[in-house]
Amino acid sequence: MFQVLPQPIEDILRVLEYWDHILAGFLTTMELYGGAIVMGFFLGLLLALLRQYGGFIISRIATGYIEFIRGTPLLAQLFFIYFLPYSMNAILEAQGLFPIPIGKWSFQTDIIILDRIITYTIFDHRMLVGLLTLALNSAAYQAEYIRGAIKSVGTGQLLAAQSLGMSRLASIRHVVLPQALRRVIPAWSNEAAYLPKYTVVVFFIGVVDLFGKAHFIVANIFRTLTTYCIIALIFLALITIISKVLDFVHKRTSIPGL
Amino acid sequence: MLRIVDGWKSYGDLQVLKGVSFEVGEQEVKVIFGPSGSGKSTLLRCINMLDPLDKGEVHLREQNLMAPGINLNAIRARIGMVFQHFNLFAHLKAIDNVSIGLRQVKKLPKEEARAKALEMLNRVKMAEWVDHYPAQLSGGQQQRVGIARALSMEPDVILFDEPTSALDPELIGEVLQVMLDIAKSGTTMIVVTHEMGFARAVASEMLFLDNGVIVERGTPQHFFVSPKSERVKQFLKQLDILYGSHKELLKRSNEEESK
Ligand SMILES: Nc1ncnc2c1ncn2[C@@H]1O[C@H](COP(=O)(O)OP(=O)(O)O)[C@@H](O)[C@H]1O
Ligand SMILES: [Mg+2]
């Protein structure tokens, strides 16, 4: 018997039967997102500082990195990092050297909630490649936001700090950055809201994130539209919360009178 | 105490300072004035090594600041700077603007730094405003905090770069009053300003800088009574229009009318 009339409620319940998979996928997505945004922030901060204050050569290297990352597809970066160790192994083996043990290690854990056992892959080589790619990519974008904020603070602040006898580094650390990091929040929110959606590229290297789980559910019960709508709503909710939180942080950290 | 000998400075093709030499004695107040773009700000930045000279010497208490390997941070801690646009640290309260140098450079403990900063804010009559952020203060108040910040380091000399020229006219007085007070308390000062009343009150010598050269120097009396060069006369005439009794302005507009 073919399904003649749409049965939205039944379809939704049918998909939600897979809540344990959706939860595992969500955790994976969050792990990628959280890891990439944090690592990307620190690397981005470093890149921004090097680009802004690094002097002729170093600032050019930082600029080159940023432009390269922003100018090439994320998917290409992902594949590059994913396949790089395999290519290297071919060389290492030809030289009679010990190859990189790809995929030899993987940390999994069973999470038991209600009647379900969720086998969750905390970390494996695919996750590592995904995290690394997303962090290296996000860093370039975050660096540009941070640098914009640093520039907007102005050189007068740095001059004033140095005129007190503070070193350049101390001046940047205690005077420029506290202001730049406050100012960067609105622009940085863009990156924080984009990145969860970009994490889905890891699907292509076999990481089963929220998107991968959607694929899995569809393959099992063929509720394509319903499944992807639910996944989309989860992303929507996540990004709404992130935006609200960052708005709140921005208000709380704003400088009185400005 | 502070001596600059044959200072030269250029930015690219633009020669900004062309052999500037002068000396400031202990507790002396030196006023530098001259047209916009003549290199006054550059000269001050060269003195405290924020942007060192290309050629020439700067000596502070017989120490050659241009000597290679010298610790510039330590030198700058001994030379205070007050900026035209105040440059207060926007994210810090008035009190923290003043204590940050004491904490970060002099490494004073928190309480001691705070007490000292309060004392400095008191000196510039800003004790009531310690917990205000710069954006919550008027320009005159901000500049007084800026002066307190420079004073807090107990520098050998304080450089003022047009400290009142970004202020609304009614706020200039309070800043000049504070500057007069600290000048009279024996602080060595180099002041770039066009406030001739201030110069007359405390300057021991005035330098007229034009095009990177000290064109003329002398006491305030000398400049107000018998300036030598045409350039200075012309400039002072313009100042009289801007800052003076407006006699000149009235005279000119009368002349225009009678035409
Ligand atoms: N950092 C700089 N880079 C390039 N040119 C500069 C710089 N600082 C000042 N100048 C130039 O040097 C000249 C003198 O500037 P400045 O010392 O600010 O003059 P003043 O303070 O007397 O108005 C100006 O023509 C200005 O454009
Ligand atoms: Mg100037």
Side-chain angles (χ1 to χ4, degrees):
Chain A
M1 186 64 204
F2 290 104
Q3 194 179 338
V4 182
L5 290 170
Q7 297 172 293
I9 302 294
E10 282 73 8
D11 283 353
I12 291 170
L13 292 176
R14 190 83 178 81
V15 173
L16 290 182
E17 267 296 292
Y18 284 84
W19 62 266
D20 51 341
H21 286 275
I22 296 176
L23 182 63
F26 180 73
L27 287 177
T28 304
T29 294
M30 285 305 286
E31 193 181 321
L32 288 166
Y33 172 57
I37 200 98
V38 171
M39 289 195 288
F41 172 75
F42 287 108
L43 186 57
L45 181 61
L46 183 68
L47 283 169
L49 290 172
L50 293 180
R51 180 161 184 187
Q52 187 65 17
Y53 300 114
F56 191 79
I57 295 172
I58 291 175
S59 75
R60 253 145 240 254
I61 294 173
T63 306
Y65 176 82
I66 291 167
E67 294 308 324
F68 180 79
I69 292 288
R70 298 204 311 165
T72 54
L74 176 57
L75 195 54
Q77 295 161 12
L78 183 74
F79 283 162
F80 179 78
I81 295 179
Y82 184 72
F83 288 114
L84 187 64
Y86 292 99
S87 315
M88 280 170 61
N89 276 358
I91 298 169
L92 288 173
E93 270 164 18
Q95 304 268 320
L97 295 168
F98 190 69
I100 304 164
I102 302 163
K104 287 277 158 55
W105 45 275
S106 153
F107 303 101
Q108 289 185 330
T109 184
D110 287 340
I111 308 170
I112 302 169
I113 303 177
L114 302 176
D115 57 334
R116 309 281 173 92
I117 300 172
I118 303 168
T119 303
Y120 178 62
T121 304
I122 302 171
F123 214 71
D124 63 4
H125 75 283
R126 294 189 169 89
M127 281 289 275
L128 178 65
V129 168
L131 256 177
L132 207 61
T133 308
L134 289 166
L136 290 173
N137 179 276
S138 183
Y141 289 90
Q142 294 192 48
E144 283 302 271
Y145 290 128
I146 296 170
R147 192 174 71 99
I150 288 175
K151 278 173 86 170
S152 79
V153 171
T155 52
Q157 297 281 311
L158 194 60
L159 280 185
Q162 288 186 286
S163 80
L164 289 173
M166 289 167 70
S167 68
R168 200 170 157 82
L169 208 62
S171 303
I172 292 168
R173 154 110 171 65
H174 294 286
V175 172
V176 178
L177 281 186
Q179 295 181 58
L181 294 183
R182 283 178 170 89
R183 285 175 188 232
V184 83
I185 295 171
W188 189 79
S189 301
N190 281 323
E191 180 63 15
Y194 275 128
L195 195 58
K197 291 166 281 181
Y198 284 134
T199 60
V200 302
V201 296
V202 298
F203 180 73
F204 287 97
I205 56 167
V207 176
V208 190
D209 66 337
L210 203 45
F211 202 69
K213 284 296 188 186
H215 194 72
F216 168 80
I217 294 168
V218 168
N220 273 283
I221 57 172
F222 311 112
R223 300 295 192 282
T224 316
L225 201 61
T226 313
T227 306
Y228 281 110
C229 280
I230 288 174
I231 299 299
L233 283 176
I234 294 173
F235 273 105
L236 184 64
L238 173 65
I239 286 157
T240 308
I241 292 169
I242 292 167
S243 299
K244 289 271 177 271
V245 168
L246 286 174
D247 268 358
F248 178 75
V249 172
H250 182 52
K251 290 212 180 74
R252 283 302 297 269
T253 57
S254 72
I255 297 166
L258 271 186
Chain B
M1 181 187 87
L2 182 94
R3 193 154 48 91
I4 169 164
V5 184
D6 196 25
W8 291 75
K9 179 78 189 174
S10 62
Y11 291 111
D13 287 340
L14 183 71
Q15 193 68 50
V16 180
L17 298 179
K18 305 167 188 163
V20 173
S21 305
F22 66 90
E23 202 169 326
V24 185
E26 211 75 55
Q27 307 203 344
E28 193 184 345
V29 177
K30 199 73 98 185
V31 163
I32 299 175
F33 70 114
S36 172
S38 58
K40 307 180 295 295
S41 301
T42 304
L43 177 58
L44 294 189
R45 281 202 306 274
C46 288
I47 291 174
N48 77 349
M49 296 284 144
L50 279 171
D51 202 352
L53 288 170
D54 297 336
K55 185 168 140 303
E57 292 167 35
V58 183
H59 296 270
L60 179 64
R61 296 225 153 107
E62 296 318 314
Q63 187 177 9
N64 180 5
L65 306 191
M66 302 289 286
I70 200 164
N71 180 352
L72 288 184
N73 297 327
I75 294 300
R76 290 195 200 104
R78 292 170 51 200
I79 304 177
M81 183 102 175
V82 173
F83 299 86
Q84 181 173 6
H85 298 287
F86 331 130
N87 297 16
L88 291 188
F89 306 129
H91 64 303
L92 296 179
K93 294 172 177 176
I95 182 93
D96 299 322
N97 261 280
V98 181
S99 63
I100 186 172
L102 299 170
R103 299 272 291 131
Q104 296 296 334
V105 180
K106 296 211 163 169
K107 306 288 180 198
L108 292 190
K110 205 169 175 178
E111 285 314 308
E112 208 174 313
R114 190 181 161 84
K116 183 110 190 262
L118 270 175
E119 187 191 322
M120 293 305 145
L121 284 170
N122 217 359
R123 236 178 122 182
V124 299
K125 304 185 183 63
M126 284 296 291
E128 286 169 49
W129 305 90
V130 289
D131 286 326
H132 284 66
Y133 285 86
Q136 299 171 316
L137 300 172
S138 76
Q141 292 171 329
Q142 288 189 54
Q143 192 57 296
R144 285 187 281 150
V145 174
I147 294 171
R149 177 174 70 180
L151 281 172
S152 72
M153 299 299 289
E154 293 174 344
D156 296 344
V157 53
I158 303 184
L159 317 178
F160 292 78
D161 191 2
E162 304 201 42
T164 58
S165 61
L167 295 176
D168 291 337
E170 76 270 22
L171 301 177
I172 291 176
E174 61 190 56
V175 173
L176 287 181
Q177 188 57 52
V178 163
M179 288 171 60
L180 280 176
D181 289 348
I182 61 174
K184 286 187 176 142
S185 72
T187 310
T188 310
M189 294 160 63
I190 301 177
V191 186
V192 172
T193 187
H194 296 132
E195 293 295 338
M196 291 303 152
F198 173 83
R200 194 180 340 220
V202 289
S204 53
E205 188 184 38
M206 296 173 69
L207 309 176
F208 179 77
L209 191 69
D210 187 20
N211 244 318
V213 189
I214 295 177
V215 175
E216 194 166 333
R217 51 196 295 174
T219 59
Q221 203 61 20
H222 161 81
F223 277 105
F224 300 145
V225 178
S226 53
K228 278 188 298 221
S229 81
E230 269 316 303
R231 189 72 192 87
V232 178
K233 281 183 198 163
Q234 197 189 346
F235 184 75
L236 283 172
K237 249 187 191 160
Q238 284 168 344
L239 278 191
D240 191 36
I241 293 171
L242 288 174
Y243 299 92
S245 59
H246 301 267
K247 258 187 253 160
E248 192 68 22
L249 193 65
L250 282 174
K251 200 171 98 192
R252 274 203 204 171
S253 70
N254 286 343
E255 279 169 12
E256 304 261 296
E257 264 173 40
S258 60
K259 264 184 203 165

